[in-house]
Amino acid sequence: LVDMSAFDVIHPDSILHCQEIFERVLKGESVKNFETTFITKNGQMMLLEGKAVPRIKGDKIIGTQSFFRDITDQKRVEQELKQWGHIFKNAQLGIAVSDSDGNKIEISNPYFEKLVGYKSLEPNKLPVSDLFPTEYHEDLKEQISIINKMGYGSFESTIQRKDGSNFPAQIDATAVRDD
């Protein structure tokens, strides 16, 4: 490490970006929250978020000092979430998430909204029971109890649209736990 420069570990695609940052720092600017890619000694790419500040002695800038944190896993998770968001938004089946007691819809996808006749985001905060004709409410409570106990459930029921019309539905539900 003693004989290495910072540029020996910076990925070739990030060198120009890092040179620009170091030039700014050498002019006295502190640069926060920039992203770059380093190459580990094993040859793996590591995504980093950094902060670079000038090193000052007296009234002269004598170098730079940089601090980095590994954001490789964070970026991977962000990409996965983006993909799942795309799937959720574009799935051609109705998907809705309610609180664990089935008291209200917390989020729903556009296809669900179309199925039940609501405009975008309108079903959110809607009581789940409002999506079922009154005569199905007791069965709904029982199904929610089973889902919470078993972790999942599947049942047939009737869904009531906003306009009051009904349609038969196969409901597959999974309890999402915070633990």
Side-chain angles (χ1 to χ4, degrees):
L1 284 174
V2 174
D3 295 329
M4 293 179 68
S5 131
F7 290 97
D8 291 333
V9 295
I10 298 172
H11 188 277
D13 293 345
S14 294
I15 288 178
L16 183 61
H17 174 65
C18 287
Q19 282 176 328
E20 291 170 355
I21 289 171
F22 288 125
E23 286 173 14
R24 289 168 51 196
V25 173
L26 287 171
K27 291 178 183 174
E29 182 181 348
S30 292
V31 181
K32 299 177 184 177
N33 303 322
F34 67 91
E35 292 181 11
T36 190
T37 305
F38 278 14
I39 304 289
T40 67
K41 64 181 176 181
N42 315 8
Q44 299 289 326
M45 290 192 338
M46 179 185 291
L47 301 173
L48 301 170
E49 179 180 72
K51 173 183 178 181
V53 296
R55 288 184 58 205
I56 300 171
K57 189 171 188 178
D59 60 350
K60 291 186 180 182
I61 297 171
I62 61 168
T64 66
Q65 189 168 12
S66 300
F67 306 89
F68 295 96
R69 71 180 184 97
D70 184 353
I71 58 170
T72 306
D73 289 339
Q74 174 186 330
K75 288 296 184 179
R76 180 187 49 75
V77 168
E78 286 174 6
Q79 183 61 32
E80 288 175 10
L81 286 172
K82 185 176 178 180
Q83 289 172 328
W84 280 113
H86 180 79
I87 291 167
F88 180 80
K89 183 177 178 184
N90 295 292
Q92 295 301 297
L93 73 145
I95 303 171
V97 177
S98 75
D99 63 4
S100 62
D101 297 323
N103 291 326
K104 65 180 183 285
I105 301 288
E106 293 182 345
I107 188 171
S108 57
N109 73 341
Y111 197 82
F112 177 83
E113 295 160 2
K114 181 180 171 184
L115 277 174
V116 297
Y118 286 89
K119 295 177 186 165
S120 179
L121 304 177
E122 216 177 5
N124 298 351
K125 308 302 180 207
L126 182 72
V128 174
S129 60
D130 284 6
L131 297 170
F132 293 82
T134 306
E135 61 268 23
Y136 290 88
H137 287 189
E138 284 306 312
D139 184 51
L140 175 63
K141 286 179 190 175
E142 184 179 322
Q143 293 298 334
I144 290 171
S145 176
I146 290 168
I147 292 162
N148 283 329
K149 182 178 178 182
M150 301 297 293
Y152 62 91
S154 182
F155 61 99
E156 293 179 1
S157 192
T158 297
I159 299 294
Q160 183 172 296
R161 292 183 182 97
K162 183 180 181 180
D163 67 8
S165 64
N166 297 329
F167 66 94
Q170 173 67 40
I171 300 167
D172 293 296
T174 301
V176 179
R177 312 241 192 267
D178 288 335
D179 42 61

